[in-house]
Amino acid sequence: MRKSYKFRLYPTKEQELVLVKTLDVCRYIYNEFLADRRNAYDRCNQGLTTFDQITQVKYLEFNTEVFSQIKQDILRRLGKSFDAFFRRCRSGETPGYPRFKGKDRYNSFTYPQSGFKIEGTKLKLSKIGNIKIKQHREIEGRSRRVPSNMKPISGMQCSLSIRVQIPKRSIRIHP
């Protein structure tokens, strides 16, 4: 079973700037590779897979360092949106082609496996630094994913997705 914990982030001004730049790079990668898929189909009548694009993303250079697994997760997110598009096409629903994301439509990034750790009241994010968090409850289990949501209205938040073992119960049947 998975359990989610949501915590408020309290970044410094420098960390906030790095987080915003990271989001900008994520949005750029998403839009760039969406255009890449569209152009490959329009020009060559050939689709690109998520794996094809993940092998290409390492050749892009940015002025802001972004953790490699964040980049890969962006392309997996793009792949899921295309999978959903083609599923809707096959089932006869209104498909809705994946959209290009503006600044107000792309507000999160995810550390899917590693690159993060909670140390006391700080969340350590690779390539970003130690960010103060408000940890209002204890975490049970081992963290698997950290999606960080950056919403300007409600502040910055992170969600930890934890895999928890549930003890098996014995069921008694009365005759």
Side-chain angles (χ1 to χ4, degrees), residues 38-62:
R38 179 180 274 181
N39 291 338
Y41 188 76
D42 287 345
R43 293 180 184 163
C44 305
N45 208 18
Q46 177 182 357
L48 293 174
T49 65
T50 301
F51 182 74
D52 293 337
Q53 291 188 316
I54 286 175
T55 57
Q56 294 173 1
V57 76
K58 61 186 168 190
Y59 300 113
L60 293 177
E61 293 183 18
F62 305 102

Side-chain angles (χ1 to χ4, degrees), residues 65-87:
E65 287 191 48
V66 178
F67 192 59
S68 61
Q69 289 185 3
I70 292 176
K71 295 177 193 175
Q72 293 170 7
D73 191 68
I74 294 164
L75 297 175
R76 285 189 187 95
R77 183 190 290 191
L78 179 62
K80 285 180 186 178
S81 65
F82 270 97
D83 291 344
F85 168 70
F86 290 122
R87 177 187 48 79

Side-chain angles (χ1 to χ4, degrees), residues 45 92 111 119:
N45 208 18
Y111 283 83
E119 297 173 339

Side-chain angles (χ1 to χ4, degrees), residues 120-151:
T121 61
K122 304 263 184 184
L123 174 64
K124 182 178 180 182
L125 296 175
S126 179
K127 308 279 186 179
I128 294 174
N130 295 332
I131 301 175
K132 186 179 173 187
I133 62 171
K134 177 70 174 172
Q135 188 176 349
H136 51 82
R137 60 183 177 160
E138 283 298 314
I139 298 173
E140 307 165 6
R142 184 168 167 258
S143 181
R144 301 288 296 165
R145 298 173 60 87
V146 179
S148 298
N149 296 318
M150 314 303 166
K151 296 180 183 168

